Amino acid sequence: MRLTFLGTGAAGGVPFYGCTCPACERARGDSRYARRPCSALLESGETRILIDAGLMNLHERFPPGTLTAIVLTHYHPDHVQGLFHLRWGVGDTIPVMGPPDSAGCADLYRNPGLLRFQVLRKFEPLNIGPFKLTPLPLIHSKPTFGYAIEDTGGERIAYLTDTVGLPSRTKCFLREWRPVDLVIDCTHPPQAPSPGNHNDWDRALATIDEIGSARAWMTHLDHSLDAWLLEHRPTLPQGVRIATDNTDVTLAG
Amino acid sequence: MRLTFLGTGAAGGVPFYGCTCPACERARGDSRYARRPCSALLESGETRILIDAGLMNLHERFPPGTLTAIVLTHYHPDHVQGLFHLRWGVGDTIPVMGPPDSAGCADLYRNPGLLRFQVLRKFEPLNIGPFKLTPLPLIHSKPTFGYAIEDTGGERIAYLTDTVGLPSRTKCFLREWRPVDLVIDCTHPPQAPSPGNHNDWDRALATIDEIGSARAWMTHLDHSLDAWLLEHRPTLPQGVRIATDNTDVTLAG
């Protein structure tokens, strides 16, 4: 299976509108450092699953028939805003699976257009093509799922945004399930004054340590974390990497 | 004053996702025929007002300090979806004026970021730089205002989307106010089976006739109207034009 980071940014992305910090200026000068809305593409054979829909050009990027399904972590606008346009069309419907959230976002449920929303239940696996995705509750300001993703070859990756820490049942599941790769919310620099709904650097590292995956990818970075990384250039623990837009994780057992 | 059509499309725009009608195929082959979310830029001297915020690249298109204000017709996603990203930033706030609508759209009111939402009242003029904008109630599925726009030189333009017909008080106001230019919702081909919330071709022409402006611009076109125009090539009444993206109306008295 292959998982490609389409976006690795927090709400607002990098560059952050109007910000002149070193990280934002670097991203303005070199688009390889830009971070778009946090999302990923999961592929194996003919199956293509979009995880989160915050990119605003989905209707141009994914012509009809190119997505098997869209799986949502939650209904905050930076994770669903690309659906507002994508929904209006003709042809085959697009399944959109996500956590139970009666509010959804704006009028997506009332005017779904091509989208067919389906509610997932925590810890009840969903099969799409060669993938089994198990929804894992996270800790966020809206109902939010991470996903334990396994393919028929037994390869395993856990995708966990947006969250601050992990609920104990999710943590227990992951410690037993033992993903090879862990993708984890790492939004703020260490000890941010009020991390709120997202991990800071220290909590992300602690979570990686607790789960014990061989490799881990930090994603959902705020511009302030990129600026902190530029200033401090910390040594990363073995196997831990900072995700960037358009890089991929290819698993081979 | 100058008014530039940034977008002239209905929800979904042209090309419509997955559609292979002649109008959609034409727009795919030649982007001059594409229609983006209905919106316009109003300029005079240093004052730049964005009317509606459905374009999804506003944060890239309008660097900080380049917009004096954003004026909304209503809070449907295709008219505000560009605000979801634009709001996250640092620096000067951006005034966003619109009709009274306690729901707004998704979490824009709760998490306004840089945006400063202000509620307008019908027929109570708003002054921004050299412009006086008078909010005019329209007939739509959400509280919606059109705007009677006048500059200090006495030039007048009425911008009326989204609407099906006009409330009688708005119609009376406009007949007395006598705009030189009228921009009017014209979404559907004639006698669309259920025009719903928008003018069809016949009703747009009837409204232009009732207001009696010297010139009129049809906007907010659905792909089905573009296809109908391609097939029927109707003769337009004198002074009536079909707006296209990136064309402008320059008024000189």
Side-chain angles (χ1 to χ4, degrees):
Chain A
M1 75 167 110
R2 186 169 69 159
L3 184 133
T4 305
F5 296 105
L6 303 184
T8 58
V14 184
F16 202 61
Y17 188 76
C19 181
T20 56
C21 79
C24 289
E25 292 293 18
R26 178 179 64 168
R28 276 189 200 97
D30 185 342
S31 65
R32 289 175 301 172
Y33 294 103
R35 296 187 186 275
R36 293 170 191 83
C38 191
S39 53
L41 188 65
L42 181 64
E43 296 171 282
S44 180
E46 297 298 305
T47 303
R48 301 178 90 206
I49 301 171
L50 178 65
I51 304 178
D52 280 340
L55 293 177
M56 287 170 282
N57 62 351
L58 295 180
H59 57 294
E60 294 166 346
R61 190 160 185 159
F62 296 105
T66 59
L67 283 178
T68 312
I70 299 173
V71 173
L72 301 176
T73 61
H74 65 302
Y75 284 87
H76 274 152
D78 57 317
H79 292 256
V80 301
Q81 60 203 3
L83 300 180
F84 289 121
H85 195 96
L86 182 69
R87 62 181 160 169
W88 301 122
V90 294
D92 293 340
T93 60
I94 304 172
V96 181
M97 293 87 162
D101 182 343
S102 59
C105 188
D107 63 350
L108 283 176
Y109 291 161
R110 199 172 52 193
N111 298 311
L114 287 183
L115 311 176
R116 286 295 167 271
F117 289 96
Q118 299 173 34
V119 176
L120 302 178
R121 300 290 164 195
K122 58 187 177 184
F123 300 109
E124 291 184 10
L126 162 75
N127 291 297
I128 307 175
F131 295 112
K132 182 168 88 170
L133 292 91
T134 305
L136 308 175
L138 300 181
I139 302 172
H140 199 51
S141 57
K142 237 183 171 336
T144 302
F145 282 158
Y147 293 95
I149 304 163
E150 185 168 10
D151 72 5
T152 46
E155 295 166 9
R156 290 179 170 185
I157 188 165
Y159 186 92
L160 308 177
T161 74
D162 296 22
T163 194
V164 53
L166 293 176
S168 58
R169 201 173 154 202
T170 293
K171 203 180 292 180
C172 290
F173 177 97
L174 288 166
R175 290 176 72 164
E176 191 172 318
W177 190 68
R178 301 178 62 83
V180 175
D181 281 83
L182 176 65
V183 179
I184 185 79
D185 179 322
C186 184
T187 301
H188 304 294
Q191 299 162 342
S194 52
N197 288 313
H198 295 281
N199 287 334
D200 68 358
W201 179 261
D202 292 335
R203 195 181 286 262
L205 284 176
T207 303
I208 293 166
D209 194 50
E210 285 179 307
I211 304 305
S213 63
R215 296 185 298 190
W217 305 79
M218 312 285 217
T219 190
H220 204 279
L221 278 75
D222 190 60
H223 67 125
S224 62
L225 175 50
D226 265 339
W228 181 84
L229 290 168
L230 268 173
E231 185 181 350
H232 295 275
R233 302 190 181 278
T235 303
L236 291 166
Q238 195 180 1
V240 176
R241 297 189 201 176
I242 312 289
T244 56
D245 287 20
N246 303 314
T247 54
D248 63 69
V249 186
T250 302
L251 291 192
Chain B
M1 75 167 108
R2 186 169 70 159
L3 184 132
T4 305
F5 297 105
L6 302 185
T8 58
V14 184
F16 202 62
Y17 188 75
C19 181
T20 56
C21 79
C24 289
E25 292 293 16
R26 179 179 65 168
R28 276 190 200 96
D30 185 342
S31 64
R32 290 176 301 172
Y33 294 104
R35 296 187 186 277
R36 294 171 191 81
C38 191
S39 53
L41 188 65
L42 181 64
E43 297 171 281
S44 181
E46 298 297 306
T47 303
R48 302 178 88 207
I49 300 170
L50 178 65
I51 304 178
D52 280 339
L55 294 177
M56 287 170 281
N57 62 350
L58 295 178
H59 57 293
E60 294 166 346
R61 190 160 184 159
F62 297 105
T66 58
L67 283 178
T68 312
I70 299 173
V71 173
L72 302 176
T73 61
H74 65 302
Y75 284 87
H76 274 152
D78 57 316
H79 292 256
V80 301
Q81 60 203 2
L83 300 179
F84 289 121
H85 196 95
L86 181 70
R87 62 181 160 170
W88 302 121
V90 294
D92 293 338
T93 59
I94 305 172
V96 181
M97 293 87 162
D101 182 342
S102 59
C105 187
D107 64 349
L108 284 176
Y109 291 161
R110 199 172 51 193
N111 298 311
L114 286 183
L115 310 176
R116 287 295 168 270
F117 289 96
Q118 298 173 34
V119 176
L120 303 178
R121 300 288 165 195
K122 57 187 178 185
F123 300 109
E124 291 185 11
L126 163 75
N127 292 296
I128 306 174
F131 294 111
K132 183 169 86 170
L133 293 90
T134 305
L136 307 176
L138 300 181
I139 301 172
H140 198 50
S141 56
K142 239 184 171 333
T144 302
F145 282 159
Y147 294 95
I149 304 162
E150 184 167 12
D151 72 4
T152 46
E155 296 167 7
R156 290 180 171 185
I157 188 166
Y159 186 91
L160 309 176
T161 74
D162 297 20
T163 194
V164 53
L166 294 176
S168 58
R169 200 172 155 202
T170 293
K171 204 181 292 181
C172 290
F173 177 97
L174 288 167
R175 290 175 72 163
E176 190 172 318
W177 191 67
R178 300 179 63 83
V180 175
D181 281 83
L182 176 66
V183 179
I184 186 78
D185 179 324
C186 183
T187 301
H188 303 294
Q191 297 162 341
S194 53
N197 288 313
H198 295 282
N199 287 334
D200 67 0
W201 178 259
D202 292 335
R203 193 180 288 263
L205 284 176
T207 303
I208 294 166
D209 194 51
E210 285 180 307
I211 304 305
S213 64
R215 295 186 298 190
W217 305 79
M218 312 284 216
T219 189
H220 203 280
L221 279 75
D222 190 61
H223 67 125
S224 62
L225 176 50
D226 265 340
W228 181 84
L229 290 168
L230 269 173
E231 184 181 349
H232 294 276
R233 300 189 182 279
T235 303
L236 291 166
Q238 195 179 3
V240 176
R241 296 188 202 177
I242 311 290
T244 56
D245 287 20
N246 302 315
T247 55
D248 64 69
V249 186
T250 302
L251 291 192

